[in-house]
Amino acid sequence: MSEQTTVSPCCITGHIHQGEPLGSFEVLHGLRTYVSNPKPPAEGKQNVVVLISDIFGVDLVNTKLVADEYAGNGWKVLLPDFLEGDAIDHNLLNAIVPNLRVQAEATVASKAVDSAKMAAAMGPWITKHREAVSKPIIENFFKALRADPSTGKIATIGYCWGGRYALVLAQDDSPARVDVAVATHPSFLVNDDVKPITKVPVAIFKGTADAMMTDDALDEVEGILKGNLGDKLVVKKYPDAVHGFSVRGDMENGKEKGQKEEVTKDTTDFISKYFN
């Protein structure tokens, strides 16, 4: 199985969101983890949602705010640092590719500079966080979480880089198999990643303007999974939404804000169906 490693500039663009995270960091199962607990705390076994971040890691405020949103459903939400402190610098969110609101001002020269910045940042990072390195870190966390007697059902939501791993954790032979998996604008996903998924409910959400995964590629993945999962599969495309829209969209743009809220609701509805 070949591991896709092609990177697009859209993987490194986006917007910093405003807000004060409600959770806090703890060391859980060996990893620094942002924890957002439901209020009031649940009694007995607790259903847990684990977010697998994009390349910007656990300190990006956007992802922590999303974790807090999901905790509002009565779930314990964990955002572990699977990158072990080696996230892409948040300053590159807007430095590598201009904000959507100012892209029209970009020149040929500035675009060339942006591409050079992307290559310098991403080339070594992709090698360092290849599957042989990252997959065991992720699996060990989920295995430890499953072994915790206070853990109820486990769902995972993966974003961009993390989207592929959410699906890997849904594979039939995964030693850390989850109960529900959601991949949101996944990066580096190949058909072989989803062929071994025949039991775990899966949702995949992607924008039609996502340069990291074409609509045709998603259609192929959907065809494979539909035969395996039937009505336990949900696939949805969001018109004109770009890569990263669920965590890095422009909240001053009404359409992007609406799509971010829509995909959050779609994810909540899907997980709730299998947590009940």
Side-chain angles (χ1 to χ4, degrees), residues 216-252:
D216 288 344
L218 180 56
D219 289 343
E220 286 187 29
V221 166
E222 182 178 9
I224 295 166
L225 285 172
K226 192 67 178 177
N228 292 345
L229 294 175
D231 61 5
K232 291 194 292 184
L233 172 71
V234 170
V235 173
K236 183 172 178 178
K237 298 169 186 164
Y238 299 77
D240 304 317
V242 298
H243 187 72
F245 77 96
S246 71
V247 284
R248 304 199 303 266
D250 183 356
M251 294 301 96
E252 293 184 25

Side-chain angles (χ1 to χ4, degrees), residues 21-169:
L22 302 175
S24 59
F25 279 98
E26 304 174 20
V27 176
L28 288 182
H29 311 306
L31 294 178
R32 179 172 172 262
T33 302
Y34 179 77
V35 180
S36 191
N37 285 305
K39 294 179 177 57
E43 297 182 3
K45 284 186 176 289
Q46 174 69 65
N47 291 337
V48 182
V49 175
V50 182
L51 306 188
I52 308 178
S53 77
D54 59 17
I55 61 177
F56 296 101
V58 301
D59 290 301
L60 182 67
V61 67
N62 304 25
T63 315
K64 290 185 280 189
L65 294 174
V66 168
D68 293 342
E69 284 191 70
Y70 288 123
N73 297 303
W75 307 329
K76 183 172 187 174
V77 182
L78 307 178
L79 174 60
D81 185 8
F82 293 123
L83 304 179
E84 298 188 317
D86 188 45
I88 294 291
D89 191 335
H90 302 169
N91 291 327
L92 296 181
L93 267 171
N94 290 321
I96 288 187
V97 178
N99 272 337
L100 292 177
R101 283 175 272 137
V102 298
Q103 276 190 11
E105 299 175 9
T107 65
V108 172
S110 68
K111 288 178 181 178
V113 170
D114 291 340
S115 295
K117 287 181 180 179
M118 180 195 71
M122 288 301 299
W125 191 93
I126 288 292
T127 301
K128 185 173 182 180
H129 297 282
R130 61 194 181 278
E131 179 178 329
V133 175
S134 298
K135 186 178 176 183
I137 296 171
I138 294 170
E139 287 181 341
N140 286 340
F141 183 92
F142 278 86
K143 286 191 288 186
L145 178 63
R146 180 70 77 186
D148 185 332
S150 70
T151 300
K153 292 183 179 179
I154 301 174
T156 187
I157 308 169
Y159 300 95
C160 307
W161 175 84
R164 174 176 178 264
Y165 285 106
L167 297 176
V168 169
L169 290 168

Side-chain angles (χ1 to χ4, degrees), residues 69-70 73 75 157 182 205 261-274:
E69 284 191 70
Y70 288 123
N73 297 303
W75 307 329
I157 308 169
V182 179
F205 301 129
E261 293 170 350
E262 182 181 355
V263 73
T264 300
K265 182 181 185 304
D266 292 338
T267 301
T268 298
D269 290 347
F270 185 75
I271 293 175
S272 296
K273 180 178 179 180
Y274 296 100

